[in-house]
Structure formats: structure tokens, C-alpha cells
Amino acid sequence: MVSVSSAPAATQLSIPELFARQQGRAGALRREAVSSRAARLRRLDTWLTDNREAIQQALYTDFRKPAVETDVTEIWSSQTELRHTLRHLEKWAAPRRVGTPLALVGTNGWVQAEPKGVTLIIAPWNYPFYLAIDPLISALAAGNTAIIKPSEMTPAVAELLARMCRELFEEAEVTVVQGDKDVATELLKLPFDHIFFTGSPQVGKIVMRAAAEHLTSVTLELGGKSPAVVDQTADLRDTAEKIIWGKGVNAGQTCVAPDYVLVHEAVRDELVAEMKAATQRFYSPQGQPISESDSYARLVNDHHFGRVAGLLDDACEQGTQVAFGGTIDAGQRFIEPTVLLDPPADSRIMQEEIFGPLLPVLTFSSLSAAVDAVNEHPKPLALYVFTQDKENQRYLLQNIPAGGACVNETILHLAHPELPFGGFGNSGIGRCHGHAGFLAFSNEKSVLRQRVGLTALKPLYPPYTDSVKKMVNLLLRWL
């Protein structure tokens, strides 16, 4: 049986014991005022501010993430979500009145959000801090307890999260359970009230099967091959900068990173030239090797490095042209930002989610052909459309199903707290961020209140006489 270390006193609890303790606490949290939830969130906000350098160091230790990227993608994004939630929490938690249909005149109704109870957050390795904190904010806002299972691939961040929880929360409210897939398997055997998982579609299916044993609700934030479609009207310098930034941040280890580019054949060469220039401006402004840049992260571990390097090798073995980049260094787990031209459709790089700094570029001659090429793959987590033609924008957004989309931008929809974020089909189930995240961790209880002794339908109670039948006929006809 797996034991977990909790609280500063180093109490040893098994996972079932910890779960039981949180079950016992969940009832008390349900009865708490919204102000108590807000107080926990404010403490978390203060901790993030006070521990900025510790967060930066943990991310650098795990995969040499630049401090500025940590500030923007791990800390700022977390605090944006947190402060947005604090501004709106009282409104979200208040009962929401609904209208009354004529047939039920005399009643009134409302929807009140109530906590689901004990929740499990399984965080990934690629943004190991933010993707643990973001769902935690929603879980706490909705009044739940939470067990966080961070990735074992980022041990420095996992330990930092554990310290954070020890300093801020009682273990019966929020705690971290560290370990490998065996620990995750043991956690998934328990009857959680909600599971929030971020990771691959393959593991997402395992989580969903486990949740089905207890009919546990799930939010699955998965992935897929997110395309960028560039038409002949796009501003190519601006487009290139945004695609290279979206692909280069965190060395491509981003679930919504552009996975491949479809560009109109008339502007392919110019776009590639602009992408090469943007890469140099970002990571080699003085002409130094990109491996010496302090603005570029590394792949998380040797296994992941080998997988991404294998995608590059496979593409090259099939005759794919490297437009620029291609340098790798296994000792540093370094792969240079690399653009590949027209890899075969059956190559691994066009069949698997890349999750690294490799970017295939393919061409199209018509928008319908671009749509068909995207829709040959499972529905992506994100779609990026680059155009200055409103009709082209409408056509692409209407005809390519995706979890979310940006027009003339990449990734930033993920940072918008008013935009529900999530996948579609193979790329995920459910939504998070802002009010959508609050609702994901809440049960929307519908309530109808009637005055004592009255009901609009009392005249329709049995026995079903001829007069009752006439009234039902009127009801069906007019109401």
C-alpha cells in the first residue's frame, strides 16, 4: 500500500486513509461561506507572489525553462485565473434565478451551484505548475477538497507543490500525492466526485475507464495535432513570428502548440523565410548558436528527447527536406527549432502529436483542400487561422471542428479567463477556466419552489376524467 507524506509533522497516511480524511472534510467545506473559499484563494495568490524565485528555480531544474517563460506561462497565467475567479466568485456561487413557463405559473425556480466533494487533479509534466494550480483554483472556488498528483517527470516542481500545500492548507483540504503510474492507478481506484486530468489521449482513456467504475465525472484536457492554416492574404512576418513563438515556447512542449502548418502554395517560400528570420531574432540575435540561448528551454527527459529525435530521423529517412534547424544534442536534451517541408502523410511526424520543436510545413491550393487535410486527423485541441480575409476566416472556422481557435494568433486563447478552454472528441472532454472551470467542479442543482397547497398541475391529478382530458388537450395545444 502506498503511503504519502503530508503536513509538516510528516504524518504517514495511506492513499485510502487520506481520501477518507478528505471525504470527512468535504461536508464542512460544503457548509462554509463563500468568503472562506475566497480567503484560501487569496492565500494562494500571496504564496505565488512570495515564491516567484522558487517557482522559477524548480522549472529551471526540471527542464531549464527560462525565468521569463516561467513568469508568463506558469505564474502570470495562474494569477490571472486566480484574480479573475476572486472578482467573480460571489456571483458564480449565488443562486441563479430562471424564468417560469406559463404552465407552471405560481412557482419559482433557480439553479444553485454546490461542491462536488472530493476531487482529483492529475497534472502533466509540460506545464507542471500552472496545470496543477489552474484546476486547483476552480476546485477551491467551488468548495471542494483536492488531491493533486503531479508528474514524476518534474520532481522539483512536484516537491514545490507539496511544500505549497503543506504551508497553505490542511491535508484534509488540499494535499499532494507524489509517485509514478502505480500511485496514479491506486488513486483512480477511489470513488472521487470529480477527476481533472491533463495529458495524452491514450492515458485519458485509461482515466475515463477508471472513472466509469464509480460514475465519476471527468474533465479531460488532452491534445492532438493542432494546425495553423495560412492563406495568401496573411501578413507573413507577423504570422511567422506568432507561429515560431507558439512553437518555440517551452521548446514545443505545449498541448496547443502549432503541430503543423498548412500554407497557400503561392506564399510558402516567403513564409518559411520569415519563420527562419523570426527564429534567429528570438533565439540567435547575435548570431550565436541557439544551444547557447538563455531564452530556449530543453526537452524534459532522455526518453522524450529520444522520441522527438526519432520523429525527425524518420521524416528525414523518408526524404523530407529540412528548411532550417535540425541540430540536436542528446547531452543537453537540445533540439533546435526545425522546419520540415512536405513530410509524407504516413510519416510518424504527421501521424503523432509532436510535442517538441519540430514544425512540418505543407501547402494547399484551395481552402477546401486545406479543410480536407485537417479533417483527415482527429479533431484538434486548437486551430490557428492566419488571414486578412473575413470570408476565409468564416469558412475555416466553420468547417474545421476544434476545441478552440485563434485568428491571427497562437496559444493566447488558453490565457483568456472568459474563454472556456477544452478539447473536442479525441482532444478532450469538458471545459475549464473562469466560470467554466467553476462549473466543472460544481453540481448545478435545479430547484423549483411551490407555495404550500397549490400546484399548477393539481387540476390534472387522477382520476383522469373527461374534464381532465380536455384540460390536457388544451395544455398540449396552447402551452
Side-chain angles (χ1 to χ4, degrees):
M1 181 174 293
V2 179
S3 295
V4 295
S5 179
S6 62
T11 303
Q12 292 294 319
L13 292 175
S14 70
I15 286 176
E17 288 169 339
L18 179 60
F19 178 81
R21 185 168 291 190
Q22 291 213 347
Q23 279 186 313
R25 182 63 174 148
L29 295 189
R30 177 182 298 274
R31 296 185 292 272
E32 278 189 344
V34 174
S35 60
S36 297
R37 305 180 193 176
R40 288 188 186 89
L41 294 176
R42 282 192 290 270
R43 291 201 305 271
L44 176 57
D45 190 17
T46 299
W47 193 94
L48 294 177
T49 299
D50 292 346
N51 288 272
R52 176 183 176 185
E53 290 185 4
I55 299 168
Q56 292 172 344
Q57 183 58 53
L59 269 296
Y60 188 85
T61 297
D62 281 334
F63 46 107
R64 245 183 82 173
K65 189 165 187 173
V68 172
E69 279 192 15
T70 293
D71 284 343
V72 174
T73 63
E74 306 275 358
I75 300 175
W76 172 78
S77 52
S78 297
Q79 290 189 308
T80 296
E81 177 73 16
L82 205 162
R83 293 166 185 175
H84 176 80
T85 298
L86 280 168
R87 285 194 298 271
H88 296 278
L89 181 55
E90 188 171 346
K91 178 182 177 182
W92 295 346
R96 174 171 54 87
R97 297 286 177 179
V98 298
T100 302
L102 186 58
L104 299 179
V105 67
T107 70
N108 60 75
W110 66 90
V111 178
Q112 62 187 60
E114 62 182 7
K116 286 188 173 178
V118 185
T119 67
L120 173 62
I121 297 167
I122 303 178
W125 56 262
N126 62 322
Y127 289 87
F129 192 79
Y130 167 62
L131 291 177
I133 297 296
D134 186 77
L136 176 63
I137 292 166
S138 296
L140 293 175
N144 301 282
T145 71
I147 294 176
I148 303 171
K149 164 60 177 73
S151 173
E152 69 276 16
M153 295 186 190
T154 49
V157 172
E159 184 53 42
L160 181 68
L161 288 168
R163 176 169 74 82
M164 179 195 78
C165 289
R166 290 194 299 267
E167 293 176 1
L168 291 178
F169 309 109
E170 299 176 24
E171 66 181 356
E173 295 173 353
V174 182
T175 196
V176 166
V177 173
Q178 298 188 57
D180 57 15
K181 64 180 181 180
D182 292 335
V183 171
T185 298
E186 184 167 350
L187 284 165
L188 289 171
K189 293 176 182 177
L190 298 170
F192 284 94
D193 297 298
H194 188 74
I195 298 173
F196 192 107
F197 169 79
T198 306
S200 69
Q202 293 78 14
V203 180
K205 294 174 184 178
I206 295 172
V207 172
M208 195 168 184
R209 281 194 293 268
E213 289 297 314
H214 303 288
L215 296 179
T216 296
S217 60
V218 296
T219 303
L220 304 178
E221 298 296 345
L222 308 178
K225 297 191 71 64
S226 297
V229 182
V230 183
D231 76 2
Q232 65 269 43
T233 74
D235 182 313
L236 296 181
R237 179 185 172 105
D238 180 71
T239 296
E241 289 182 337
K242 290 170 177 175
I243 291 176
I244 291 299
W245 174 78
K247 190 64 171 179
V249 69
N250 207 34
Q253 298 164 115
T254 304
C255 60
V256 289
D259 208 74
Y260 62 103
V261 175
L262 283 166
V263 57
H264 192 278
E265 58 190 10
V267 296
R268 196 276 304 267
D269 292 346
E270 186 178 353
L271 176 65
V272 170
E274 290 287 1
M275 289 196 293
K276 181 177 182 180
T279 301
Q280 292 171 337
R281 288 194 297 273
F282 291 173
Y283 304 117
S284 181
Q286 306 301 323
Q288 73 274 30
I290 293 176
S291 61
E292 297 178 6
S293 172
D294 58 6
S295 299
Y296 188 68
R298 296 296 185 266
L299 301 192
V300 67
N301 58 29
D302 291 339
H303 172 77
H304 187 58
F305 170 86
R307 189 191 67 81
V308 178
L311 296 179
L312 177 60
D313 290 342
D314 177 74
C316 291
E317 287 170 3
Q318 297 192 54
T320 301
Q321 178 185 348
V322 176
F324 64 86
T327 300
I328 67 174
D329 183 343
Q332 292 191 52
R333 301 196 305 272
F334 167 81
I335 297 181
E336 187 178 12
T338 302
V339 166
L340 303 164
L341 302 182
D342 300 313
D346 61 353
S347 60
R348 287 179 56 204
I349 203 167
M350 291 307 300
Q351 294 298 316
E352 301 176 20
E353 184 178 5
I354 297 170
F355 233 67
L358 310 179
L359 185 62
V361 174
L362 303 98
T363 60
F364 64 85
S365 57
S366 67
L367 286 185
S368 61
V371 166
D372 290 343
V374 174
N375 290 338
E376 287 177 358
H377 298 283
K379 298 177 182 66
L381 183 56
L383 164 66
Y384 302 119
V385 171
F386 289 88
T387 180
Q388 297 185 74
D389 186 305
K390 290 186 177 179
E391 177 56 27
N392 287 357
Q393 172 189 312
R394 183 204 63 79
Y395 179 83
L396 291 168
L397 291 176
Q398 185 176 58
N399 288 282
I400 299 177
C406 291
V407 177
N408 297 319
E409 188 54 271
T410 62
I411 294 183
L412 287 190
H413 65 303
L414 176 62
H416 196 316
E418 294 280 9
L419 289 176
F421 178 81
F424 185 11
N426 197 66
S427 58
I429 295 173
R431 290 292 182 269
C432 63
H433 294 176
H435 194 210
F438 174 84
L439 292 178
F441 284 91
S442 300
N443 174 51
E444 291 188 274
K445 180 188 287 181
S446 300
V447 182
L448 182 142
R449 181 169 60 191
Q450 177 63 277
R451 287 174 289 176
V452 176
L454 295 178
T455 180
L457 294 183
K458 188 171 274 191
L460 305 183
Y461 285 3
Y464 299 130
T465 62
D466 288 343
S467 61
V468 170
K469 293 176 182 178
K470 288 179 181 179
M471 293 186 68
V472 170
N473 288 337
L474 290 172
L475 178 71
L476 293 173
R477 184 174 182 181
W478 298 109
L479 300 178

